[in-house]
Amino acid sequence: MDKQELLTQLYDSILDTEPEAAAAAAQAAIDAGVDAMEAIEVASEAIAEIGDMFEAGEIFLPSLMLAGEAMKQSMAILSRHLHSGQATQTKAKVVIGAVSGDIHDIGKNLVATMLSVHGYDVIDVGVNVPPMEVIDVALREKARFIALSALMTTSMPYQQDVLNLLTETGARNRFFVIVGGGPVTSDYARRIGADGWGNSAVSAVRLCDRLLQSQETPPVSATFVQE
Amino acid sequence: MPRQGFRNRTPWQMLPEAQIDALHEGALRVLAEPGILFEDAWALAFLAQQGCTVDEASGRVRFPRQLVAACLAEAPKQFTLAAPNRANDLHLGGDRLYFTHSSGMQSIDLDTLEPRRPTRQEYIDCIRVLQALPHLDHLGCYPYFGFDDLPDVLAVPAGVALHMQYSDKHQITACSNDAELFTFQMAQALGQEIAGTIGSSPPLTWSSAAVASARRIVEAGYALTTVDGSMMGGTGPATVPGSVIVSTAEHLAMVVLAQCLRPGQRMLIGHFSAPLNMRSGSPAFGQIGSSLNNAMFNQLWRRYGLPLSNGSPGYVNAKGIEFQAGYEKGMAAIAAALSGVNSMLLHLGVANELTAHPVQAILDDDIAGMVGRFISGEEMSEETLAVALIQAVGPIPGHYLNQAHTRKWWRKEQFTGATADTQTYAEWQEGGKKTAFDHARARFASILAAPEQRFTTPTQDAELERILQEARRYFEKRI
Ligand code: B12
């Protein structure tokens, strides 16, 4: 197979939402001496197309999730073969989790997948995560965003706790804090002083893009709202 | 004498027995591998003592078959839940069917359909309607997640107190966030029985909060309702049988825990699955898949014999009080009833779990009546076969309107909904072309126009208030 065919195979395996095939295609490309950076660019094009297809209603969640997995597996192989000085281009690092007391994770997982599909480096800290733990991970990972999901009126106050703790520990200006989840409204987000609020996984991506493109630093002057 | 509910003497069999065996076998295999995750140190130690294989590090508990069988045998197959008014007692299990309500986070504005937080008075009005509806046999969780500026953590205790004040029906209440520390005190203070609900965390997990609540329910001597909630394709397999196996394994694990804790513990098994909306990731409430799921689950669990409840008929995908809500609830209710469920959530919920309104409950009460009438079936006797009558009336010009037999039987045979339009076309045109929704609004107004009934004494009210204040102090740091 020539280089072009190998890259097409990688591209197709992601569009076909086949993680194993994507890993195999990535390995085959490396084995044939294809430049890792070039392969990553091709994979990124494929996953961006997947994101567009999902937003357009042409594909559904299982395909989105599996394509995300295909991307992850091929990236794991390709990124090991980058030359020194080459770095993958991710937009920013996002630490995401469901707050204390909350084990709902379907929505959080969707947001995480959509963000990574759209070029963010996502670190998922899971569910029922105490405020300080989220902050510790965000500090350690030098994240740009903290994304907090809450599905219950009784767990929402923990979003505020994270913001308070950030302020108390003097780290509030290190992260854009965005919030979401069923009962979390834009009004509530404003009230607790979050930097952004979104009501879907698609809006989470637009929200992060907008915050990055804005000239603002956290905490922003007025909460960004993305429907 | 308990509430009668309806009787379904010949439940619908969806599957042949051999396929029910396959579901049972599947659940037992899952209980053996990978087992159930208990996020609770006490449960791990306790289940190990009962003969389960416990992996402390991972929290996984594997259940031997004989233990599951013994605990299923131990669980009562029928039992009574006492209501404040004994005429509202429930006799759960067997062939009896009762109806209750679902819930919503908020109320809606009837004119604009916009969601909004209810006031305390609207919360009370909602309970008064539930109390008044003839086919609403017992109260369930909430109905709304709070009112006015009540702190959210107090929603359950405050709601339970209002239930006690404005209704004399039995209430099966939510246990979460330690609410039961206070709701059980309230029941004890008023000498009432209350039942508690805990939810599994699919797939295959019981949280420490659920275990803690289960222990409190069992220790208080109340009935325990376990509710699953696998979303097909999300937190359970996309297929109905696979998802039934996940739910069944979760319940069986809690049956073991509860029966070992207190042999003979009363349990109501609550099933609440829905397909996943593959665009949004939300539960696709109202889809017929929920009904297939209920029918299969109910048939399997009828074999085990424990009383059963279905939650999904109470939740729909429709956003307003309209045609879609009616067909989604109607189809789900008839399927659940036919397959032999003992209690179902039906009334009140408007848009999935997000909004609820008593006008919807009034319409739903007619669905309950129709479904109940259908499953009650027909009496077969000389008199209902009516051969002698048919012979006597003969062909035209004979007719039946002037027969004593008709006078005696027609009311028993017919069910007419309170909000269905039954006028002639001309009457309907002259009367302003009213819809079922208009009739339901009128009924809502007339229920609320009746004098407000209270079911507690001033001393009891003071006691409820004292306990609520205690709850307020307990939850202070979260208010
Ligand atoms: C599925 C579900 C469950 C499942 C969860 C499975 C899982 N692994 O996630 C199970 C059965 C385990 C469960 C358990 C419970 N649940 Co529940 N559950 C639901 C349900 C039906 C759907 C939630 C869901 O997944 N929605 C779909 C996802 C895709 O939507 P989403 O999370 O909102 O996410 C989207 C957006 O909001 C946004 N988003 C989400 N997060 C973020 C974050 C950011 C930063 C941004 C920008 C955007 C964003 O993008 C997402 C994708 O588009 C809701 C009711 C409902 N209709 O919403 C109740 C609901 C949330 N649960 C509720 C309750 C009470 C519970 C229990 C306490 C029940 C019990 N007594 O045991 C337990 C709680 C356990 C706990 N400690 O958390 C209540 C909450 C009430 C309240 N007080 O607010 C609800 C509203 C149901 C109800 N009416 O009672 N539940």
Side-chain angles (χ1 to χ4, degrees):
Chain A
M1 243 191 269
D2 68 14
K3 176 177 144 193
Q4 201 45 51
E5 281 169 342
L6 286 163
L7 288 175
T8 305
Q9 185 175 290
L10 175 63
Y11 183 90
D12 288 348
S13 64
I14 294 175
L15 274 193
D16 291 345
T17 73
E18 293 289 355
E20 279 173 30
Q27 193 58 54
I30 293 294
D31 293 347
V34 176
D35 178 48
M37 198 64 210
E38 204 178 336
I40 286 173
E41 273 159 23
V42 167
S44 304
E45 276 168 36
I47 199 70
E49 189 167 340
I50 284 280
D52 292 345
M53 284 159 75
F54 178 73
E55 279 181 48
E58 289 162 16
I59 60 167
F60 294 88
L61 285 173
S63 307
L64 177 72
M65 298 301 245
L66 283 166
E69 187 56 34
M71 179 70 182
K72 214 162 132 192
Q73 293 204 14
S74 53
M75 284 297 291
I77 293 164
L78 298 173
S79 54
R80 283 202 303 269
H81 294 274
L82 288 171
H83 306 304
S84 55
Q86 277 184 331
T88 50
Q89 280 293 312
T90 61
K91 290 184 189 163
K93 213 174 239 188
V94 183
V95 168
I96 188 169
V99 295
S100 274
D102 209 318
I103 59 138
H104 295 89
D105 67 358
I106 298 175
K108 172 196 63 87
N109 293 348
L110 292 184
V111 172
T113 304
M114 274 308 262
L115 284 171
S116 45
V117 160
H118 284 85
Y120 287 87
D121 182 3
V122 178
I123 296 158
D124 188 340
V125 288
V127 296
N128 189 12
V129 190
M132 207 53 225
E133 191 178 321
V134 183
I135 296 174
D136 284 344
V137 175
L139 286 169
R140 192 172 64 235
E141 295 286 341
K142 301 193 171 46
R144 189 69 188 126
F145 289 90
I146 294 180
L148 302 169
S149 185
L151 260 286
M152 298 191 294
T153 48
T154 46
S155 62
M156 282 161 60
Y158 292 104
Q159 294 183 328
Q160 175 149 39
D161 282 5
V162 172
L163 284 156
N164 292 348
L165 266 172
L166 281 171
T167 308
E168 283 164 26
T169 54
R172 179 66 185 90
N173 59 359
R174 304 266 305 262
F175 315 103
F176 286 120
V177 179
I178 61 171
V179 295
V184 180
T185 61
S186 51
D187 278 349
Y188 179 78
R190 282 191 195 99
R191 225 176 319 135
I192 63 172
D195 297 307
W197 169 89
N199 64 352
S200 70
V202 173
S203 72
V205 176
R206 301 221 171 98
L207 182 63
C208 291
D209 288 350
R210 276 176 55 204
L211 280 162
L212 281 183
Q213 284 151 17
S214 75
Q215 304 303 317
E216 302 231 32
T217 51
V220 298
S221 46
T223 305
F224 281 48
V225 167
Q226 183 68 52
E227 301 254 345
Chain B
M1 188 68 167
R3 281 182 79 90
Q4 290 307 296
F6 296 99
R7 312 296 286 264
N8 177 4
R9 293 194 173 79
T10 46
W12 174 51
Q13 305 279 347
M14 178 180 182
L15 301 176
E17 285 302 314
Q19 291 179 3
I20 294 293
D21 290 344
L23 291 171
H24 173 64
E25 186 56 29
L28 290 179
R29 279 170 53 200
V30 167
L31 283 171
E33 189 57 45
I36 301 287
L37 171 60
F38 275 85
E39 300 174 326
D40 184 88
W42 172 86
L44 295 180
F46 180 74
L47 288 166
Q49 279 167 19
Q50 311 308 319
C52 296
T53 308
V54 171
D55 178 25
E56 296 271 347
S58 66
R60 293 281 184 78
V61 181
R62 289 157 173 98
F63 294 78
R65 285 167 179 250
Q66 312 82 303
L67 182 63
V68 176
C71 291
L72 276 174
E74 196 81 61
K77 309 302 177 284
Q78 297 195 9
F79 54 81
T80 300
L81 292 176
N85 173 356
R86 299 307 301 262
N88 284 327
D89 283 4
L90 306 172
H91 195 65
L92 276 178
D95 59 10
R96 222 179 274 265
L97 167 66
Y98 292 118
F99 288 95
T100 186
H101 61 88
S102 56
S103 58
M105 201 137 60
Q106 305 192 71
S107 180
I108 50 161
D109 181 285
L110 281 184
D111 296 314
T112 61
L113 299 183
E114 282 298 320
R116 62 175 176 73
R117 193 166 170 88
T119 62
R120 182 171 184 275
Q121 188 55 49
E122 285 168 331
Y123 197 105
I124 293 171
D125 291 347
C126 183
I127 298 173
R128 291 182 60 207
V129 170
L130 298 175
Q131 166 70 13
L133 293 176
H135 302 302
L136 192 296
D137 297 298
H138 65 92
L139 298 179
C141 307
Y142 302 104
Y144 302 118
F145 299 163
F147 48 79
D148 294 332
D149 55 2
L150 180 80
D152 291 315
V153 281
L154 289 177
V156 173
V160 166
L162 289 174
H163 284 175
M164 290 171 169
Q165 289 168 319
Y166 292 93
S167 172
D168 62 3
K169 295 181 179 178
H170 179 88
Q171 56 172 318
I172 296 184
T173 183
C175 293
S176 63
N177 289 305
D178 295 341
E180 65 275 14
L181 292 177
F182 305 99
T183 56
F184 289 5
Q185 263 192 65
M186 291 175 182
Q188 280 147 8
L190 269 59
Q192 294 185 5
E193 191 181 23
I194 196 171
T197 302
I198 56 164
S200 64
S201 308
L204 306 178
T205 304
W206 281 102
S207 69
S208 68
V211 171
S213 299
R215 291 174 70 187
R216 289 177 186 144
I217 295 167
V218 172
E219 276 155 24
Y222 297 141
L224 168 66
T225 304
T226 54
V227 181
D228 58 53
S230 115
M231 300 295 142
M232 298 156 67
T235 54
T239 51
V240 170
S243 135
V244 166
I245 285 175
V246 167
S247 301
T248 297
E250 290 165 2
H251 286 291
L252 288 174
M254 192 46 79
V255 167
V256 169
L257 188 141
Q259 296 305 322
C260 290
L261 202 50
R262 177 197 275 245
Q265 166 66 35
R266 292 173 297 167
M267 295 184 79
L268 174 62
I269 304 298
H271 188 50
F272 186 30
S273 267
L276 199 73
N277 175 326
M278 290 300 180
R279 280 282 299 141
S280 67
S282 320
F285 289 124
Q287 270 195 17
I288 200 69
S290 313
S291 293
L292 285 164
N293 206 309
N294 285 336
M296 194 179 286
F297 183 90
N298 292 346
Q299 192 182 339
L300 170 62
W301 277 81
R302 280 207 320 275
R303 178 190 278 189
Y304 300 147
L306 280 70
L308 293 179
S309 135
N310 288 165
S312 50
Y315 298 96
V316 292
N317 227 334
K319 307 300 178 290
I321 303 176
E322 41 99 340
F323 182 73
Q324 184 181 341
Y327 74 71
E328 287 180 336
K329 285 197 174 186
M331 301 280 282
I334 192 88
L338 281 174
S339 57
V341 78
N342 301 114
S343 174
M344 79 170 87
L345 279 62
L346 177 67
H347 300 62
L348 200 65
V350 176
N352 49 68
E353 293 184 288
L354 303 178
T355 61
H357 199 283
V359 165
Q360 174 75 53
I362 289 171
L363 290 160
D364 297 332
D365 205 55
D366 283 344
I367 298 181
M370 283 176 91
V371 167
R373 173 66 194 89
F374 187 79
I375 63 153
S376 300
E378 281 296 308
E379 183 181 321
M380 295 296 279
S381 64
E382 264 316 287
E383 210 183 334
T384 62
L385 287 164
V387 175
L389 176 70
I390 298 164
Q391 288 171 331
V393 170
I396 287 175
H399 67 83
Y400 294 89
L401 261 179
N402 56 358
Q403 297 297 316
H405 181 272
T406 306
R407 187 181 57 210
K408 174 173 175 188
W409 282 95
W410 81 269
R411 275 181 203 283
K412 245 181 125 177
E413 287 288 322
Q414 293 191 10
F415 169 83
T416 312
T419 56
D421 191 89
T422 52
Q423 303 173 92
T424 63
Y425 202 85
E427 284 167 347
W428 176 74
Q429 282 175 311
E430 282 159 24
K433 299 181 182 162
K434 291 206 170 71
T435 61
F437 179 61
D438 299 320
H439 294 304
R441 283 185 86 156
R443 192 165 181 223
F444 179 50
S446 90
I447 291 173
L448 296 185
E452 200 175 88
Q453 242 190 316
R454 291 291 292 260
F455 298 92
T456 44
T457 63
T459 324
Q460 290 177 322
D461 288 342
E463 189 55 13
L464 292 175
E465 187 49 40
R466 184 194 63 72
I467 297 167
L468 270 180
Q469 288 307 333
E470 201 182 304
R472 207 171 262 277
R473 280 192 298 278
Y474 178 86
F475 290 120
E476 195 140 44
K477 54 179 183 313
R478 285 155 69 180
I479 290 178

